[in-house]
Amino acid sequence: MPVYKSLSVDPLVFILDGEPWPSNTPAPYSFLSHTLATLSETRSRILIINTLTNALRTILRYHPPSLLPALYLLSNCLSPSYLPIELGLGPSVISKAIQQVSGLTPAAFKRLYNTTGDVGDVAFEAKSNIRTLIPHPPLQIITVFDFLITISRAKGQGATKFKQGIVEKLLVAARGEETRFLVRTLSMNLRVGAVRTSILTALARAMVLSPPDTLTMPIPTDSPYNATLKLQSEANNVPLSVKAKTNSQDGARNEVNEKFGRAESLVRRVFVQHPNYDHIVAALLDVGLDGIAERVPLAVGIPLHPTLGSPTRSLDEVYDRLGDSPFAAEYKMDGQRSQVHVRRNENDEVAVQIFSRHLEDMTTKYPDVVLLMQEIFASDPELRSIIIDSEIVAIDPVDGSLKTFQELSNRARKDVQIHDVKVDVGVYAFDLMYLDGEILLQQPFRKRRALLRHRIPPFSSEHNGVARFNHVENCDSEDGRETVEEFWIKAVESRCEGLMIKLLDNGEVLEEPTTKKDKPRRKPLPATYEPDKRTSTWLKLKKDYVTGLGDSLDLVPIGAWHGNGRKAQWWSPVLLALRDGNTGRFVAVCKCMSGKCSGFTDVFYKAMRKRYADNSDTCARRNQWDVDTGGLKPEVYFKPDEVWEIRGADVTLSPVSIAAQGLVSPSRGLSLRFPRFIKVREDKHPAQASDSEFLAQMWKDQQGKGLDQNGADDGDLLDVDMEEQAEEDDSDS
């Protein structure tokens, strides 16, 4: 196996000298395995970004075509989320391939798996004792990626055997750590902390420090690359402890850090508007950072990450946050958030695509919405292209009244035929991001809303089976506070979830100083559309914000214990986790117990036991999905595979929980007291679960309101409905 230099060092003193692999050849997979092994050994965000930056710099310098497959393999995916490519490899195919290559018997494989708890570790241990007589050519990043694409395309009779054959070929050629991470990739469970934000940050820094030779434009003389060369040159002769103090190096470092900040902001902005590594990498290798925004713009047919709302507790808080700035109050519909893209081609044909909030293509789920948009475009020949933000809601086909999200969830998820539609829907539009070739993201909300209403008015088809189109009902603060309060009461009494508050025009608000020494300062309030940001100018006010917590949490079930009494055959309690924004891991935050106040029903318990059956692909005795349970040890671990909406009485400091540890207390994490299950968030992917920063902000908001903190977590993250527990004790006796 090749020996590579450490990748976790400061990129500003990481010197690209010598060739890490033979010149003019693709990057070897062993280099990517070295990167993944380094990542798996740390939870430090700084070291993770250092490692990724230096790895991508190396690839950029010595084989730029390997960059794109490397990014996908580091991201643990094979394509953009809206063009899903699934391997379709079951655990049995992978385990049989490992046994075939290593000679392990099924019993020996099971014993080894029970010992390690990770199929990648099993493969590494099993293969370490195998010696091949004929050496195989080294695996390359490009060829591994191509093999994975080949596996994903195998369909029909004989596909399983064909896929297993490819896996076996890869395992035979793999050496050392390659085996471990190859199998983890095949299982789509890399177990490293390289989340999207870290990868984009590293990509931007790598382009700043080591722009590839493929660029068609020359590197300017004031490029930070030149400053970095100077810094690295000095690093060869000056000890690290000394060099940080020298003025020349401080100047070079500051210059590079400023370039880092601008590059990171640029790459992230481009990605959230156009999340496609294929297009981004092609542009970076051709025109570099300076030309990427023009080469990879917002485009119809490629979903952008949606703007997110920040929670508020009351209308009083809304007025405190926004001051005198005018805002709109809109119904927060109880449906599925949907991004609708429509374009008319040169042949006057109208193409429609519908994307979920986490950018999955769900066009085939809503053929009635496709027909709706085609009829709207047929009625207005001037319309050329649009991207709208909307909510698709179940409605009564007779009077158009709203139905619940649960009824909408009864619809099949894909390949729905128009004659099979059983649940009618309406499209309730609330924003317009693109119109006839013009990007509207930087326009204030008042203008975007006016264009939406003028160019795409409400529409109801004369044909049966076609969805309806309308605008979300709203009122404006300019109509007076009394009107807004009446609208809030109307929302509480309706079937919507509450209100969304949106700033109408760009403005500013006077921000109170945090200390006596500070002076009040004016904080800008942009009314622009901000992809993938939870802004202070989009505020959400749900019905139940008036009591208890100011917001629900979107948590992921990661484990459970066997129940007691009549619930002994079910999972109870369930261990819930939030997402650590730095590492991407799921971290336990609370247990949700059985009981009258838990929100669970017997039907739900039965369905959960079926979904998380013992020793299945979603439930295991060992922590094979690298979830962080802190000091807790559930009897079984769940694959982080779904999101539950949970509401609690309050957020409390915990001596056991490590969720958000360090954000509000150096030694204690946060937990949720009296958690209550609301519903399964079928519209959310685990990657969209609430993160530690969100929980910490809830704690700070709660403290700011002076809410009661009695009943803090007793150290077991436990929450018991005493009346229900007494009934169970009685049934036991």
Side-chain angles (χ1 to χ4, degrees):
M1 285 289 292
V3 177
Y4 300 104
K5 65 173 62 177
S6 173
L7 295 173
S8 60
V9 300
D10 184 346
L12 299 191
V13 296
F14 179 83
I15 303 174
L16 290 170
D17 58 348
E19 293 182 336
W21 55 80
S23 60
N24 300 319
T25 61
Y29 185 69
S30 60
F31 179 73
L32 187 70
S33 299
H34 171 63
T35 304
L36 292 169
T38 306
L39 292 171
S40 67
E41 293 169 357
T42 182
R43 301 297 177 198
S44 165
R45 184 171 182 269
I46 293 175
L47 296 183
I48 287 172
I49 291 177
N50 286 353
T51 300
L52 289 169
T53 301
N54 291 328
L56 297 181
R57 287 179 62 198
T58 305
I59 294 172
L60 277 167
R61 171 62 58 84
Y62 296 108
H63 196 259
S66 296
L67 178 63
L68 179 61
L71 286 173
Y72 277 124
L73 292 175
L74 285 168
S75 303
N76 205 27
C77 63
L78 302 177
S79 67
S81 56
Y82 62 92
L83 297 171
I85 296 178
E86 298 181 358
L87 279 177
L89 277 178
S92 62
V93 173
I94 298 173
S95 63
K96 288 178 181 177
I98 294 172
Q99 293 170 47
Q100 182 67 27
V101 170
S102 65
L104 282 179
T105 64
F109 178 91
K110 186 174 182 180
R111 284 195 301 271
L112 195 54
Y113 179 79
N114 289 337
T115 301
T116 65
D118 177 82
V119 69
D121 294 341
V122 171
F124 177 81
E125 293 293 334
K127 187 115 188 307
S128 62
N129 299 320
I130 303 298
R131 298 291 181 267
T132 54
L133 297 177
I134 303 175
H136 292 266
L139 288 173
Q140 298 169 342
I141 293 174
I142 291 176
T143 55
V144 169
F145 184 77
D146 288 345
F147 271 126
L148 298 183
I149 297 298
T150 301
I151 289 174
S152 71
R153 291 173 177 168
K155 309 293 181 186
Q157 188 175 6
T160 300
K161 186 176 181 180
F162 175 74
K163 291 179 179 182
Q164 183 176 327
I166 294 180
V167 173
E168 290 176 9
K169 289 179 182 178
L170 288 170
L171 287 174
V172 168
R175 294 180 289 174
E177 288 291 339
E178 291 179 330
T179 304
R180 190 193 314 274
F181 291 103
L182 176 63
V183 171
R184 287 183 181 178
T185 295
L186 293 168
S187 305
M188 301 307 289
N189 184 28
L190 269 182
R191 300 181 65 176
V192 298
V195 295
R196 170 170 55 92
T197 303
S198 299
I199 291 174
L200 292 175
T201 299
L203 179 60
R205 294 185 179 186
M207 286 296 299
V208 168
L209 295 175
S210 304
D213 297 334
T214 55
L215 286 181
T216 57
M217 55 179 57
I219 301 171
T221 56
D222 62 346
S223 167
Y225 175 64
N226 296 319
T228 306
L229 288 179
K230 178 182 178 183
L231 188 66
Q232 293 174 344
S233 176
E234 294 174 353
N236 290 331
N237 303 311
V238 183
L240 187 63
S241 59
V242 177
K243 76 172 182 63
K245 301 177 182 179
T246 62
N247 292 333
S248 63
Q249 289 197 346
D250 281 346
R253 185 177 292 274
N254 290 338
E255 180 185 350
V256 176
N257 284 338
E258 289 176 6
K259 296 286 186 179
F260 277 173
R262 288 195 289 271
E264 291 163 20
S265 176
L266 172 63
V267 171
R268 290 176 189 169
R269 184 171 68 251
V270 168
F271 185 87
V272 298
Q273 294 183 28
H274 193 120
N276 185 309
Y277 279 132
D278 296 69
H279 300 166
I280 290 173
V281 169
L284 286 174
L285 297 183
D286 189 22
V287 298
L289 289 167
D290 291 338
I292 187 177
E294 291 71 27
R295 286 285 293 271
V296 192
L298 176 69
V300 179
I302 298 177
L304 66 155
H305 287 259
T307 295
L308 306 173
S310 300
T312 53
R313 291 178 178 275
S314 65
L315 282 174
D316 287 337
E317 185 176 342
V318 170
Y319 281 97
D320 288 342
R321 287 197 184 193
L322 301 183
D324 297 328
S325 301
F327 62 82
E330 299 177 341
Y331 274 176
K332 189 177 189 305
M333 314 296 286
D334 188 17
Q336 182 168 24
R337 188 168 180 180
S338 308
Q339 200 177 113
V340 182
H341 293 231
V342 191
R343 61 186 177 279
R344 191 194 305 269
N345 64 22
E346 296 177 353
N347 299 323
D348 211 35
E349 296 171 334
V350 176
V352 182
Q353 289 170 281
I354 307 164
F355 302 98
S356 70
R357 64 174 294 156
H358 45 278
L359 314 189
E360 292 180 353
D361 192 328
M362 54 181 188
T363 307
T364 62
K365 179 179 180 178
Y366 293 110
D368 41 352
V369 176
V370 172
L371 290 176
L372 165 70
M373 302 313 299
Q374 290 174 338
E375 286 199 20
I376 288 176
F377 268 60
S379 68
D380 184 358
E382 298 299 319
L383 269 179
R384 305 303 304 175
S385 55
I386 60 171
I387 301 176
I388 61 173
D389 209 345
S390 66
E391 198 86 7
I392 294 180
V393 185
I395 62 171
D396 188 301
V398 177
D399 59 10
S401 60
L402 304 180
K403 293 187 176 183
T404 65
F405 176 79
Q406 281 70 26
E407 293 182 73
L408 179 66
S409 65
N410 291 329
R411 182 186 282 239
R413 295 193 176 191
K414 59 182 179 179
D415 299 327
V416 176
Q417 301 300 314
I418 190 67
H419 52 78
D420 292 331
V421 172
K422 300 293 191 298
V423 180
D424 292 82
V425 299
V427 178
Y428 290 84
F430 53 79
D431 216 323
L432 179 66
M433 296 91 85
Y434 188 96
L435 175 64
D436 295 340
E438 182 183 0
I439 298 173
L440 304 174
L441 301 184
Q442 293 305 306
Q443 297 295 332
F445 179 58
R446 189 190 296 273
K447 181 176 180 178
R448 302 197 308 272
R449 186 180 68 172
L451 285 170
L452 172 66
R453 292 177 174 178
H454 173 66
R455 293 303 306 277
I456 318 171
F459 186 91
S460 183
S461 173
E462 297 177 354
H463 303 97
N464 292 330
V466 179
R468 301 184 186 186
F469 181 85
N470 211 332
H471 305 126
V472 171
E473 190 172 346
N474 78 287
C475 78
D476 292 348
S477 63
E478 295 162 321
D479 299 329
R481 178 156 180 164
E482 184 176 335
T483 302
V484 176
E485 290 176 347
E486 289 176 356
F487 190 69
W488 163 243
I489 293 172
K490 184 179 176 182
V492 170
E493 294 172 348
S494 73
R495 282 197 169 180
C496 68
E497 292 184 302
L499 296 182
M500 288 298 300
I501 308 296
K502 299 176 184 176
L503 195 70
L504 284 167
D505 308 300
N506 295 327
E508 57 182 21
V509 66
L510 190 65
E511 198 172 54
E512 294 298 324
T514 55
T515 67
K516 293 182 179 180
K517 296 181 180 180
D518 295 333
K519 295 181 180 180
R521 64 184 184 91
R522 294 200 170 274
K523 175 184 176 183
L525 292 176
T528 51
Y529 192 96
E530 300 293 332
D532 204 34
K533 288 185 179 179
R534 193 175 295 280
T535 75
S536 58
T537 55
W538 273 38
L539 307 174
K540 55 183 179 179
L541 180 63
K542 290 187 178 180
K543 293 177 182 179
D544 13 4
Y545 283 8
V546 292
T547 59
L549 280 179
D551 194 13
S552 58
L553 284 156
D554 294 322
L555 302 180
V556 176
I558 61 168
W561 290 260
H562 286 96
N564 296 314
R566 70 182 186 87
K567 294 187 173 66
Q569 75 274 26
W570 299 334
W571 298 128
S572 177
V574 178
L575 186 61
L576 300 173
L578 49 69
R579 181 176 53 84
D580 187 302
N582 289 330
T583 66
R585 296 180 83 197
F586 292 98
V587 182
V589 64
C590 66
K591 292 179 181 178
C592 200
M593 297 288 291
S594 61
K596 293 179 178 178
C597 297
S598 70
F600 294 139
T601 64
D602 286 3
V603 172
F604 182 84
Y605 274 120
K606 292 176 182 177
M608 179 169 56
R609 188 59 191 253
K610 183 177 180 180
R611 180 177 180 85
Y612 299 103
D614 267 314
N615 298 316
S616 66
D617 294 346
T618 57
C619 179
R621 295 286 168 175
R622 292 188 174 274
N623 185 4
Q624 67 184 59
W625 294 287
D626 196 32
V627 295
D628 194 341
T629 61
L632 296 169
K633 294 192 179 300
E635 294 177 4
V636 293
Y637 294 86
F638 292 167
K639 179 181 180 180
D641 203 35
E642 63 179 348
V643 179
W644 294 359
E645 182 178 355
I646 301 291
R647 184 167 293 109
D650 52 46
V651 182
T652 180
L653 286 169
S654 168
V656 170
S657 172
I658 58 173
Q661 190 177 63
L663 296 181
V664 299
S665 168
S667 60
R668 306 180 79 184
L670 296 175
S671 186
L672 194 63
R673 202 161 63 92
F674 299 125
R676 175 179 174 80
F677 171 82
I678 304 300
K679 64 183 178 184
V680 176
R681 291 298 303 266
E682 295 184 356
D683 60 325
K684 280 199 171 187
H685 185 273
Q688 276 78 45
S690 299
D691 59 20
S692 49
E693 286 78 10
F694 184 78
L695 182 65
Q697 188 60 50
M698 289 178 68
W699 160 264
K700 292 171 184 175
D701 292 344
Q702 178 180 281
Q703 292 296 96
K705 294 294 181 180
L707 297 184
D708 182 24
Q709 294 301 298
N710 292 331
D713 174 28
D714 62 2
D716 199 24
L717 301 183
L718 220 47
D719 223 1
V720 182
D721 184 297
M722 298 307 295
E723 182 179 351
E724 179 73 9
Q725 187 63 57
E727 291 177 3
E728 290 187 354
D729 291 342
D730 290 343
S731 68
D732 289 342
S733 60

